Amino acid sequence: MTTQTAHQTSRLLFGAMGLGGTWTDEPYGETDIDQAETAITAALEAGITVFDHADIYRRGKSEAVFGEVMRRNPGLLNGVTVQTKCGIVLPADDRGGYYDLRAESVLAALEGSLRRLQVDAVNVLLLHRPDPLLDPRTLKPALHSLLQEGKIRALGVSNMSAAQMDYLQTELDIPIAVNQLEMSLFKRDWVESTVLVNHPGGVEKNFPHGTIEWCLSNGTRLQAWGALAQGLYSQPREAHTSAEAQATDLVRQLALERNTSSEAIVLAWLLKHPARIEAVIGSTNPERIRASADAPRQAELMTSGEWYALWTAARGAPLP
């Protein structure tokens, strides 16, 4: 087992959902471990030091192959931090999927993750989705126990609103270190909602107003999953709308002018925001991972005019 180092922050994270083979019960093999090692090595070469997992990714196989890479290469991951998520139960047989944040389920899920990852602790345990049946008062002792035992160093959430975090924060009496949300140049409701107050267009935006501000006010770090928008603006493909085509052209133009990659420009748009968003890189393609490395520097170089130009192009309409 590997002991995690003290928490480190990174503007880029490696999202491990693509590791471990298929989403079936078929076991992983040496080829899957090799592919994971290649992707992890590329991430380290890109300066990425935080690895994001969930117990459900590839039905646990993502964590398992990550652990195998650690076992193969003692010391390879020295200085990195690992986080994982729990609370989603995948469909099985005739039963549909559901959310489960009961204390006993969270404890069991974390033990499984630690075993598969081959670590003694994770830096952050994130509650993956809101569970309407969650009673925070019954979860509180379990989380305090995990913190006291050193099995987790911080608590985080994913896909939660300001109101949900405020309620959890009050009932759990544990700081929420991280909120992981889908945010990208394509998934823009998080920023659209800030300028569509008192505007008819705001009704169409499905993002709880005040969530970003709550995180900023409470010292909760924001992590963006889906940050590369599945390559929509950075990989060669046919655009489905004129807005996608226009944004893709502008991304490429800026990348050419700055002698960088399209991936770096797409991510830089997120990273420039004053909330200091951390972008999760979900690709397992070594070239795309390395192409993302320049994003923090490009965020510093990007002007306000360029940032707004990208936003306007992607939304396909002028700002109100």
Side-chain angles (χ1 to χ4, degrees), residues 19 27 54 57 95 121-122 154 158 162 164 216 222 230 236 243 255 260 269 286 317:
L19 305 181
Y57 290 166
R95 172 187 55 72
V122 293
S158 182
Q164 290 169 321
L216 284 167
L222 281 159
Q230 298 183 335
T260 191
W269 185 81

Side-chain angles (χ1 to χ4, degrees), residues 17-298:
M17 186 172 68
L19 305 181
T22 68
W23 280 87
T24 69
D25 292 328
E26 179 183 356
Y28 63 84
E30 290 296 316
T31 299
D32 298 312
I33 302 174
D34 291 341
Q35 291 174 339
E37 185 172 359
T38 299
I40 291 167
T41 300
L44 293 171
E45 291 172 350
I48 296 173
T49 60
V50 182
F51 291 79
D52 175 69
H53 294 269
D55 59 345
I56 63 166
Y57 290 166
R58 311 285 161 159
R59 297 187 176 272
K61 292 182 290 186
S62 296
E63 291 180 328
V65 296
F66 186 88
E68 292 291 347
V69 172
M70 294 187 75
R71 184 182 59 80
R72 272 187 182 184
N73 303 274
L76 176 66
L77 298 179
N78 285 346
V80 308
T81 60
V82 176
Q83 64 182 40
T84 195
K85 299 180 283 293
C86 70
I88 297 178
V89 180
L90 294 173
D93 301 324
D94 295 330
R95 172 187 55 72
Y98 60 97
Y99 306 137
D100 187 357
L101 290 177
R102 294 173 298 161
E104 59 269 29
S105 300
V106 170
L107 291 172
L110 178 65
E111 289 300 329
S113 290
L114 296 179
R115 182 178 65 254
R116 289 187 293 271
L117 290 166
Q118 301 189 37
V119 297
D120 299 319
V122 293
N123 283 85
V124 187
L125 175 66
L126 291 84
L127 307 181
H128 206 159
R129 287 275 180 183
D131 175 6
L133 297 179
L134 168 65
D135 182 349
R137 294 167 296 182
T138 63
L139 183 58
K140 180 177 177 178
L143 293 175
H144 273 285
S145 175
L146 293 176
L147 286 164
Q148 291 169 359
E149 293 171 9
K151 292 183 177 180
I152 68 174
R153 294 191 171 86
L155 174 69
V157 298
S158 182
N159 307 299
M160 289 198 186
S161 69
Q164 290 169 321
M165 289 185 291
D166 204 35
Y167 173 59
L168 282 179
Q169 188 77 91
T170 301
E171 293 294 327
L172 293 177
D173 192 29
I174 300 171
I176 297 175
V178 171
N179 187 14
Q180 193 173 109
L181 302 164
E182 184 179 11
M183 297 186 286
S184 69
L185 186 58
F186 176 73
K187 187 67 173 181
R188 300 177 304 277
D189 283 5
W190 62 277
V191 68
E192 296 277 349
S193 66
T194 65
V195 298
L196 293 177
V197 175
N198 198 34
H199 187 279
V203 177
E204 304 170 1
K205 299 305 172 185
N206 184 27
F207 190 86
H209 189 69
T211 296
I212 302 300
E213 292 81 2
W214 190 97
C215 291
L216 284 167
S217 298
N218 289 274
T220 299
R221 292 168 22 235
L222 281 159
Q223 294 178 351
W225 63 269
L228 281 170
Q230 298 183 335
L232 177 62
Y233 307 111
S234 56
Q235 293 294 295
R237 64 172 67 179
E238 183 178 352
H240 296 292
T241 68
S242 59
E244 290 175 7
Q246 184 178 356
T248 299
D249 288 344
L250 183 53
V251 165
R252 290 173 179 168
Q253 175 187 330
L254 290 171
L256 184 62
E257 292 174 357
R258 298 284 174 77
N259 192 29
T260 191
S261 67
S262 292
E263 286 85 356
I265 296 297
V266 171
L267 294 172
W269 185 81
L270 272 176
L271 270 54
K272 184 173 178 59
H273 192 276
R276 291 194 60 78
I277 296 165
E278 302 167 9
V280 180
I281 311 302
S283 177
T284 59
N285 183 325
E287 292 183 4
R288 293 197 71 203
I289 296 169
R290 295 188 186 98
S292 302
D294 196 32
R297 186 175 73 92
Q298 291 302 323

